[in-house]
Structure formats: C-alpha cells, structure tokens
Amino acid sequence: MRIAFLGLGLIGGSVARAVRAHGLAGAPAELVAWTRDGSGPRAALDDGVINEAAPDAAAAVDGARLVVLAAPPLACVELLRRLGRDGDLHHSLGANATVTDVASTKAALLATAADGGVPYVGGHPMAGREASGFDASDGTLFSGRPWVLTEAVHGGDAGMVRELARACGARPMDLDAATHDRLVAAISHLPLVASVALVEAVAGTEDWPGAQALAASGWRDTTRLARGDVTMGAEIAASNAVAIAARMRDLRARLDEWIELLEAPGGPDVAAVRDRLATARQRLDG
Amino acid sequence: MRIAFLGLGLIGGSVARAVRAHGLAGAPAELVAWTRDGSGPRAALDDGVINEAAPDAAAAVDGARLVVLAAPPLACVELLRRLGRDGDLHHSLGANATVTDVASTKAALLATAADGGVPYVGGHPMAGREASGFDASDGTLFSGRPWVLTEAVHGGDAGMVRELARACGARPMDLDAATHDRLVAAISHLPLVASVALVEAVAGTEDWPGAQALAASGWRDTTRLARGDVTMGAEIAASNAVAIAARMRDLRARLDEWIELLEAPGGPDVAAVRDRLATARQRLDG
C-alpha cells in the first residue's frame, strides 16, 4: 500500500507521522512525498517518517493507491488540475488510485476534480496550530477531532479516506463541500480574518508601543490566528471569499450594534450590556 | 500592617494569596476581607489566606493601612464614593490609610477619589483568566506581569501600592489614568467586545449546530474572552465606553477593507491578501 503526499508541512507531516505509527487499516504503508522545495520530505526521510522523497510529483504519484494533497488550497486546486485528464500528472495516476486532500476549503477542489475526471474524495481534518512546516508536525494532532469527507467523484474510494482519518485517531464525518465551506467560514475563516483585522486596528498605531507593553493573555489568544502561515491564510481567504465576506457582514452588523450601545447618550445601559454578554456566553455553550 | 480587601474574587483573591505567601515589603500582613455575599471571604478564611472575614465594609476598612478595592469597576466607583468625605465609610478610614484597586478601568475611579478627598493610588495588574471567583484565584497570577499605578491623589501612598505589586511578583509601572484607559481599550477591552461580537455573529444562527461540531482551537481561542464574568465585562465596557467605541470604529474600518478585498469582482487578489496578512503578522511582533 503506497501513499503519496504532495505537500508535507504541518498538516501533511502530522498525517504521515500518524500513518507511519499506525499503518492504514491496520497494515503498514509505504510513504512517499514530494514538495516544491523538497525540505519537508528530506526532513521526513531523515526522521524515518517516509520511505522515499520523490524527485517530482509524477514519481510520487506513480503506483500510489492513495494520493494526499497537503498544500495550501489554491496549490491543491492546481495539483488537481494537473491530475485531471488534460494534466501532466494524469498518466501517472494508477487505475485504482484515490486522491484526497487536507485543505481548509472544499468546493473549489471538488469542482476541479469533478471537471477533470479525478477519482477524488475531499478531506478536512479539523485541527491546526499557528506553527507551520514539517518541523511543527505531530502525529497526535488529529486525535479525537472530526475529519470531514466530502462527496466522492469519479470512483474515489471514501472507505480508504475514512481509514486515513482513523489512522490519525480522528472521527470521519460526511459533509457536502458547499455546507463544509459555509460552516468553516463561520468557525474558522471568520475568526482568522477578525483576528487579523483586530491586529490591524491596534498594532502599528501610535498607541501600539505602550499598549503592547500591557498586553496579556486576552490579546494573545484573540490574535493567535493572525500569527499563522500567511500563504495558507491567503489561499483559504481567496478560495472561500464569498462565504467569509457574508459572515464578515454579520460580524460588522453586530459591531455596529455594540458601537450604538456604547455610544448611547448619557452612557451605556449597563444592564443591557450585561444581558448581551450573558446571552453570548450561553449561546457559546448551547 | 492591616490590609483590607473589599471584593475577593479571582483578582482580589490572587493578590491576597500572594501577600499571604510573601508579606508586604517583607513583613507579614494581617488580611481582612468583606464582600457583599461573603462567600469569597469565608472560603479565604477556611484556606488560611485571610485572618478575618469582616461583617461589613466599615469593619474591614477600620484600622487598615491599605484598602484594596477588588470589585468590578462600577462597584469600585461606588465604594470610592462611600469612602469619600460625604460617604458612610469615610469615618472608618484611618489617617494614614491609602486606598487602591485592581480594576480594569481607571479614569472614573480616579475622578471619584479626587472629588471625594480619598487618599488614592489606582492600580491595575495586567493578567486575568476567564474563570472567576475566589476559587479560581492563584497567588502566581501576576508573576512577571506589569502592574499599572495611576496618579496619587490626597496623599495616597504610591510606595505602598508598589510594594503590593512586588509582593505579587509584578512589575510596577506608572501611567496616567487617561492613557491607561486608552491603551487597555486597545489590547484588552476591544478584544473582549470583538470576541463577543464574533460569538453573536455565529452562535445561535441556523448553521451553529453544524459549525459547533467542527470548531477547533482557533474558534476556542478567539472566543475565550466571551466566556469571562459578565458583570465584570459589562462594568468594564460601561466605564470605558468612549475609548472602546473609538477602537471599535477602527476595527470596523479594517473589516470594511477586508470585505471589499474579498468581494472584489473576479475574486480576491491573492497576493494582496497575502501581503496584508504578512504586514499584520510583522506588526504584531514589531
């Protein structure tokens, strides 16, 4: 059972470590990886995580039963185009191969795979951290976490992708790509952009040096997402832009209500502010 | 050396624990506390953290060299009014007493102390957590953190408040109340309200059950502040409303720019999004 990784940073590396430790469906797997600059695969080879660092994408894909795209979303779209019937990697893909991925957005990837005749089942393990690169990878990152699987197209083998999720200790969860993208816009992509906007509203202003000296855990936690990988962030934002923008309009409407509450003539109604905070807190756990 | 705490939740309790462990200026202190419902002082007495749970505020203040107001901001304003020359606690305050506090906003407290002739030096230890109440207190909470001291009025002894900060392992830092309130609006109060607005934009919507099932550490961290004590949050927002609202307008302007970027005809400019993320990340550490 040969598994090819195209991309091997935090997420791909974490998947590879888990498969190395647990095998796939209980059987050991042969892992091969390729990335554009080759640094992740070299480190993974040195660590004994993979069996082979492929010289190019075609060599990695050749003979693989499962191809895991583990690059930023737009790079995954490009790889799916290359794996499609008009692409340079199409002839390297075996007859019984399935392509999956671990990207944060799914609809653009699904559409590309469907258009190109790629046997594809999209995947999204729901965990991350702000560090990036293979050096930050961790075979337990997805333990106990949901792992979304989207619609299979062109004979993609969902059962094998489920086994990949289980090998990582994750819980496979079927969800159509459009719904997935709408839901992660809410709980993942909106928090990312809101975190960046918060940094932009404060860091770099004339008050920043003094404010920074006073910043505590609240500031650190609310801005943690703004420290993530910028290419990943940009490709997530770009590939789910419509859904994110819709959520940002909702956030802006709530901010407008808060501004009105705080700027009320004679000062804010403390009881109303308290009620609003209590309602938000209840909903968070409801 | 008698120290009185009016209020004894997370912050007051953490200060009391540190003073119990380290004394004040190297000498042991006698700690007395009063709160409206008395539960914090009872627990603190059982734990050996304080020497006496006072039956009322006057009994706590009586004979104290240092009075620490450790209630939410508006409750502290009310206590300062009672400690002022027209208040019922004024006659209990000794001739050499100093009043301080640990509240997140300072200008309203300073103005009340100045008006009422209270010997006052405002304080704000820059640390917190989302848990509240004496049970969540921790004598190391302020270790290595800044502890802001505002302008002394009516003979308030700043040296003693500095010793209180040092007893907690904190770093005393002089800052005028108006600047303090502007800076904490940026790095503490704006993140709080933004966190609540984020919850309001997502939790309780029809997508929430599905989205909640996928939520990971990014959602948890960006919404952590929305889990804090609601009375505390409401009184912070109300007592620093003008500065917070100004910062919220800045945040909203940044969100508008993001919405424009994401809704660009033909899709977002990925390089522009990436540059913006990179700039924010640099500023965060700059």
Side-chain angles (χ1 to χ4, degrees):
Chain A
M1 165 71 82
R2 182 177 163 96
I3 304 179
F5 289 83
L6 304 186
L8 199 71
L10 168 70
I11 304 296
S14 297
V15 175
R17 285 184 185 281
V19 175
R20 168 57 65 230
H22 305 294
L24 197 74
E30 182 196 348
L31 305 187
V32 53
W34 169 83
T35 66
R36 198 177 297 264
D37 79 356
S39 61
R42 274 195 301 276
L45 197 60
D46 288 348
D47 281 8
V49 173
I50 63 171
N51 302 86
E52 183 188 333
D56 53 47
V61 168
D62 189 38
R65 182 83 174 77
L66 186 61
V67 176
V68 181
L69 311 180
L74 298 180
C76 286
V77 169
E78 176 57 20
L79 286 167
L80 282 166
R81 201 171 285 132
R82 294 177 63 193
L83 289 161
R85 64 175 71 86
D86 299 329
D88 66 298
L89 299 176
H90 191 65
H91 66 279
S92 302
L93 206 56
N96 67 349
T98 284
V99 179
T100 188
D101 73 288
V102 291
S104 296
T105 62
K106 300 268 67 81
L109 282 76
L110 176 64
T112 307
D115 281 356
V118 180
Y120 170 76
V121 180
H124 185 197
M126 300 303 306
R129 51 183 58 156
E130 72 271 35
S132 59
F134 179 79
D135 290 347
S137 66
D138 172 357
T140 68
L141 183 59
F142 309 115
S143 180
R145 300 295 310 153
W147 185 305
V148 172
L149 276 76
T150 59
E151 308 89 309
V153 291
H154 302 298
D157 182 352
M160 197 156 41
V161 180
R162 273 191 201 96
E163 289 301 338
L164 184 70
R166 290 195 191 104
C168 296
R171 294 182 286 108
M173 178 186 289
D174 292 331
L175 199 62
D176 66 277
T179 302
H180 167 275
D181 285 5
R182 208 177 68 238
L183 298 184
V184 296
I187 50 85
S188 176
H189 307 165
L190 176 67
L192 165 64
V193 180
S195 177
V196 173
L198 183 60
V199 170
E200 292 176 334
V202 172
T205 64
E206 62 178 344
D207 279 341
W208 177 233
Q212 190 174 23
L214 299 181
S217 58
W219 173 257
R220 189 189 61 220
D221 285 354
T222 46
T223 61
R224 182 177 71 81
L225 291 177
R227 295 185 183 278
D229 185 88
V230 296
T231 298
M232 188 66 75
E235 297 202 4
I236 288 171
S239 62
N240 202 19
V242 172
I244 300 170
R247 285 295 181 172
M248 292 185 70
R249 288 181 179 278
D250 292 341
L251 176 61
R252 194 178 57 176
R254 302 291 87 72
L255 287 179
D256 283 343
E257 291 167 5
W258 272 102
I259 291 170
E260 193 181 336
L261 198 56
L262 293 180
E263 291 182 341
D269 176 340
V270 185
V273 173
R274 192 186 184 286
D275 285 351
R276 199 160 170 149
L277 294 176
T279 300
R281 190 173 158 168
Q282 279 163 8
R283 285 191 180 153
L284 204 44
D285 294 318
Chain B
M1 163 72 81
R2 181 178 164 96
I3 305 179
F5 290 83
L6 305 186
L8 199 71
L10 168 68
I11 304 296
S14 297
V15 174
R17 285 184 185 280
V19 174
R20 168 57 65 231
H22 304 294
L24 196 75
E30 181 197 348
L31 306 187
V32 53
W34 170 84
T35 67
R36 199 177 297 265
D37 78 356
S39 62
R42 273 193 302 274
L45 197 60
D46 289 347
D47 281 8
V49 173
I50 63 171
N51 303 85
E52 184 188 334
D56 53 47
V61 168
D62 188 39
R65 181 83 175 76
L66 186 61
V67 177
V68 181
L69 311 181
L74 298 180
C76 285
V77 169
E78 176 57 19
L79 286 166
L80 282 166
R81 200 171 287 131
R82 294 177 63 192
L83 288 161
R85 65 175 71 85
D86 298 328
D88 65 297
L89 298 177
H90 192 64
H91 66 279
S92 303
L93 206 57
N96 67 349
T98 284
V99 179
T100 188
D101 73 289
V102 291
S104 297
T105 61
K106 299 267 68 81
L109 282 75
L110 175 64
T112 306
D115 280 357
V118 180
Y120 171 76
V121 180
H124 185 198
M126 300 302 306
R129 50 182 58 155
E130 72 271 35
S132 60
F134 179 79
D135 290 347
S137 66
D138 171 358
T140 68
L141 183 60
F142 309 115
S143 180
R145 301 294 311 153
W147 186 305
V148 171
L149 276 77
T150 59
E151 308 88 311
V153 291
H154 302 297
D157 181 352
M160 198 156 40
V161 180
R162 274 191 199 95
E163 290 300 340
L164 184 70
R166 289 194 191 105
C168 296
R171 295 182 286 107
M173 178 186 290
D174 292 333
L175 199 62
D176 67 277
T179 302
H180 168 276
D181 284 6
R182 208 177 67 237
L183 299 183
V184 296
I187 48 85
S188 177
H189 306 164
L190 176 68
L192 166 63
V193 180
S195 178
V196 173
L198 183 59
V199 171
E200 292 175 334
V202 172
T205 65
E206 60 177 346
D207 279 341
W208 176 234
Q212 190 175 23
L214 299 181
S217 58
W219 173 257
R220 189 189 61 221
D221 285 354
T222 47
T223 60
R224 183 178 69 81
L225 291 177
R227 295 185 184 278
D229 186 87
V230 297
T231 298
M232 188 67 75
E235 297 202 5
I236 287 171
S239 62
N240 202 18
V242 172
I244 300 170
R247 285 296 182 172
M248 291 186 72
R249 288 181 178 278
D250 292 341
L251 176 61
R252 194 179 57 175
R254 301 291 85 73
L255 287 179
D256 283 342
E257 292 167 6
W258 272 103
I259 291 170
E260 194 182 335
L261 197 56
L262 293 179
E263 291 182 342
D269 176 341
V270 185
V273 173
R274 193 185 183 287
D275 285 351
R276 199 159 172 150
L277 294 176
T279 300
R281 190 173 156 167
Q282 279 162 10
R283 285 191 181 151
L284 204 44
D285 294 318

